[in-house]
């Protein structure tokens, strides 16, 4: 199996000792009045400090306003600074290492944020370019001499850098998967690469296709994928454990034309990223399950990725069709561009039978309505369990990913009723909420959170630590959520 096409990340070393007399150093300064920092290259500048070449970057360490649950992203200022430095060096074509002192230029408790921003801002997504832009140079974090081998600063810095590197690698993997072009990324290609990633992380994987999907009752997956010459697949992966059972489901639509309910041409090229939810789920599960030491190994993790290509053809599914999902529930199709919920319904129902989960989380670029409501930087949380929703928000704030909770009101539940089937696939009304209410019928009453990332999964520009096109959003939140379920067991 070939690797996922990618660009390398810089390496980061932690070194104990004084600054060298030569080489580039990083220094910080307060932001200019009236300016708005966004991690852009112009927020850093090459200069000379104490006779030594340096990159000076503006840092605003002010914490933003709390989110709906009170969670605060206190690291955003240093992530922005790290990204700005990396982009400045990348665009200037600098080579050779750059060093930063911690404590010194950056506090010990924020060094992880700076490193994460630096790594994620260090490369673009020009993976397929013949002459890609060079990646930013390697980073050295220098810890001044302390009291001995067990100096607390060095221990803290090494732990923060290691965590930032893991988070950056997971985010980069999700970006690379989502950014791959659809002529390469068929459902078969996608689940094959994902299976390899999860197997390497210690999960047991299998891929369902053809008769396995028919026999398993995957009517939604087969309907959506029926219009494409690239046949659908479903990836199932599990790492058993004695602890709580968690089911993660990610939408894996490798390209979405909208089907017969066809999308406008403008922006359709970005539909290669319509499997960003599955990329986040797989990257997070791989990062989490690769940690086989300590209490985190106890969590029982299952991943299900339904993957299909939603195309127009004589065999495409139609508005008005009635589709039977895993478990026998039927859906009346009213819009073939609401294909994500069709495949997720199958995956949720199958995953619940597969692992009898205590917690269910699905992630999807599901609705344009979510993007209209919350914009391009905030994900939507819809949950049947208050504790689970709060945990998502807290994990996101710690990881630098912003979430806002939307309701699942009782008065809208009748919207998904159908006169000809069990459920109506795409009713009128507030689209992000009615999509979640449709999916609620497939989670068997389990504690469930639905994460709609239609806005923040993509970006039109480099902003903060986010790259253009695919952002990898939700990956770091999921890793934090899985760890939190172990650190603070649910009652």
């Amino acid at each position: 199996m070939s690797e996922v096409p990618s660009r390398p990340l810089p390496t980061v070393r932690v070194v104990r000792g004084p600054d060298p007399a030569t080489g580039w150093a990083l220094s910080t300064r307060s932001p200019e009045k009236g300016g708005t920092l966004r991690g852009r290259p112009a927020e850093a500048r090459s200069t000379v400090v104490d006779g030594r070449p340096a990159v000076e970057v503006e840092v605003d360490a002010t914490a933003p306003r709390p989110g709906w649950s009170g969670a605060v992203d206190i690291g955003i200022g240093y992530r922005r600074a790290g990204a700005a430095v990396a982009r400045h060096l990348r665009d200037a074509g600098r080579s050779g290492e750059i060093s930063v002192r911690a404590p010194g230029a950056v506090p010990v408790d924020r060094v992880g944020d700076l490193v994460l921003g630096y790594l994620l801002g260090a490369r673009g997504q020009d993976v397929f370019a013949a002459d890609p832009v060079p990646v930013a140079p390697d980073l050295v974090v220098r810890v001044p001499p302390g009291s001995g081998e067990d100096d607390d600063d060095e221990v803290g810095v090494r732990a923060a850098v290691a965590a930032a590197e893991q988070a950056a690698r997971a985010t980069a993997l999700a970006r690379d998967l989502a950014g791959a072009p659809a002529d390469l990324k068929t459902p078969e290609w996608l689940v094959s690469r994902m299976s390899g990633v999860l197997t390497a992380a210690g999960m047991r994987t299998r891929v369902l296709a053809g008769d396995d999907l028919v026999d398993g009752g995957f009517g939604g997956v087969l309907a959506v994928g029926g219009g494409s010459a690239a046949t659908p697949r479903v990836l199932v992966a599990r790492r058993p454990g004695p602890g709580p059972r968690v089911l993660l489901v990610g939408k894996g639509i490798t390209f979405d034309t909208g089907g017969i309910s066809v999308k406008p041409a403008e922006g359709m090229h970005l539909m290669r990223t319509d499997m960003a939810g599955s990329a986040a789920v797989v990257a997070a599960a791989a990062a989490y399950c690769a940690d086989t030491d300590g209490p985190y190994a106890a969590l029982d993790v299952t991943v299900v990725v339904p993957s299909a290509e939603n195309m127009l053809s004589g065999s495409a599914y139609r508005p008005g069709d009635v589709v039977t999902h895993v478990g026998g529930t039927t859906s009346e199709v009213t819009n073939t561009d609401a294909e994500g919920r069709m495949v997720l319904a199958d995956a949720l129902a199958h995953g619940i039978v597969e692992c009898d989960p205590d917690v269910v989380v699905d992630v999807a670029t599901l609705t344009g309505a979510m993007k209209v409501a919350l914009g391009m930087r905030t994900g939507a949380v819809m949950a049947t369990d208050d504790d689970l929703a709060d945990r998502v928000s807290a994990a996101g704030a710690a990881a630098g990913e912003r979430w806002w909770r939307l309701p699942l009101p009782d008065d809208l539940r009748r919207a998904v009723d159908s006169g000809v089937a069990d459920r109506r696939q795409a009713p009128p009304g507030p689209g992000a909420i009615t999509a979640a209410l449709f999916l609620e019928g497939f989670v068997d009453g389990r504690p469930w959170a639905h994460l709609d990332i239609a806005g923040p999964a993509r970006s039109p520009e480099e902003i903060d630590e986010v790259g253009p096109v695919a952002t990898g959003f939700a990956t770091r939140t999921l890793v934090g959520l899985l760890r939190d379920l172990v650190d603070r067991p649910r009652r």
Side-chain angles (χ1 to χ4, degrees):
M1 181 194 78
S2 61
E3 299 292 330
V4 177
S6 182
R7 297 288 310 284
L9 293 175
T11 61
V12 183
R13 295 188 297 119
V14 178
V15 176
R16 183 185 183 83
D19 290 344
T22 59
W24 287 84
L26 188 151
S27 64
T28 59
R29 62 188 173 93
S30 299
E32 297 179 1
K33 291 184 178 180
T36 301
L37 301 182
R38 287 292 182 266
R40 298 186 176 99
E43 293 160 23
R45 63 187 182 190
S46 298
T47 185
V48 175
V49 176
D50 297 331
R52 183 182 174 192
V55 175
E56 189 177 59
V57 63
E58 296 178 68
V59 177
D60 181 0
T62 305
R65 288 182 298 175
W68 59 269
S69 67
V72 179
D73 178 8
I74 60 176
I76 188 169
Y78 281 94
R79 289 200 314 279
R80 283 174 176 160
V85 170
R87 290 164 182 156
H88 171 82
L89 293 170
R90 179 198 65 193
D91 293 353
R94 301 288 186 198
S95 59
E97 297 176 331
I98 181 168
S99 64
V100 58
R101 292 185 64 193
V106 56
V108 172
D109 61 350
R110 297 274 68 88
V111 69
D113 297 300
L114 184 129
V115 170
L116 179 60
Y118 186 89
L119 291 175
L120 293 180
R123 49 156 242 190
Q125 288 191 317
D126 51 349
V127 175
F128 297 91
D131 186 20
V133 175
V135 175
D138 294 341
L139 179 66
V140 178
V141 181
R142 293 194 175 273
V143 183
S147 57
E149 289 298 319
D150 295 326
D151 179 71
D152 289 343
D153 284 345
E154 183 178 1
V155 172
V157 166
R158 289 189 182 279
V161 168
E165 287 184 296
Q166 184 196 53
R169 286 193 297 268
T171 305
L173 173 60
R175 289 180 178 181
D176 291 335
L177 286 167
D183 58 335
L184 172 68
K185 188 173 55 187
T186 63
E188 179 182 16
W189 185 94
L190 179 66
V191 300
S192 175
R193 271 69 194 167
M194 288 179 166
S195 178
V197 167
L198 294 176
T199 298
M203 300 189 78
R204 302 191 305 231
T205 66
R206 70 182 190 279
V207 175
L208 308 179
D211 289 343
D212 289 336
L213 297 178
V214 175
D215 295 342
F218 288 85
V221 173
L222 291 167
V224 173
S228 174
T231 54
R233 300 287 191 278
V234 173
L235 170 64
V236 181
R238 186 172 187 183
R239 190 198 67 180
R245 297 178 299 279
V246 180
L247 170 63
L248 301 178
V249 175
K251 173 186 169 185
I253 299 298
T254 56
F255 194 78
D256 181 19
T257 66
I260 290 176
S261 306
V262 66
K263 292 179 180 293
E266 183 179 359
M268 192 188 288
H269 65 288
L270 293 175
M271 289 301 101
R272 71 183 187 273
T273 67
D274 209 22
M275 39 57 66
S278 65
V281 162
V282 167
Y288 180 84
C289 290
D291 184 358
T292 58
D293 297 326
Y296 295 143
L299 201 66
D300 189 316
V301 181
T302 297
V303 169
V304 181
V305 173
S307 184
E309 190 176 54
N310 189 22
M311 300 291 284
L312 293 86
S313 75
S315 59
Y317 80 131
R318 300 159 289 262
D321 286 359
V322 173
V323 171
T324 303
H325 296 279
V326 172
T329 298
T330 57
S331 294
E332 175 193 5
V333 177
T334 52
N335 184 341
T336 64
D337 194 24
E339 83 299 328
R341 67 199 73 179
M342 298 293 288
V343 301
L344 287 173
D346 282 344
L348 287 165
H350 179 80
I352 285 167
V353 172
E354 181 83 16
C355 70
D356 186 25
D358 300 303
V359 170
V360 180
V361 180
D362 76 77
V363 189
T365 49
L366 205 63
T367 64
M370 174 266 143
K371 183 164 59 175
V372 171
L374 297 179
M376 300 293 290
R377 298 301 312 280
T378 303
V381 183
M382 286 152 276
T384 59
D385 185 277
D386 291 341
D387 172 73
L388 185 55
D390 289 346
R391 287 172 185 264
V392 169
S393 178
E401 296 177 332
R402 189 168 62 224
W403 299 92
W404 199 263
R405 189 175 184 182
L406 299 180
L408 296 174
D410 289 337
D411 60 293
L412 288 177
R413 283 193 164 85
R414 292 186 61 184
V416 296
D417 291 344
S418 168
V420 298
D422 294 317
R423 302 185 77 73
R424 188 181 186 189
Q425 169 229 27
I433 292 173
T434 55
L437 290 171
F438 172 84
L439 292 174
E440 186 183 17
F442 297 90
V443 299
D444 191 38
R446 311 298 173 105
W448 164 66
H450 164 61
L451 310 185
D452 191 339
I453 61 170
R458 310 173 182 105
S459 176
E461 61 180 336
E462 291 184 331
I463 182 169
D464 300 338
E465 78 279 9
V466 172
V469 190
T471 66
F473 188 86
T475 302
R476 303 194 302 275
T477 295
L478 291 175
V479 175
L481 175 63
L482 292 173
R483 290 174 177 159
D484 185 55
L485 290 169
V486 175
D487 294 339
R488 298 188 302 125
R490 283 168 53 87
R491 297 182 185 275

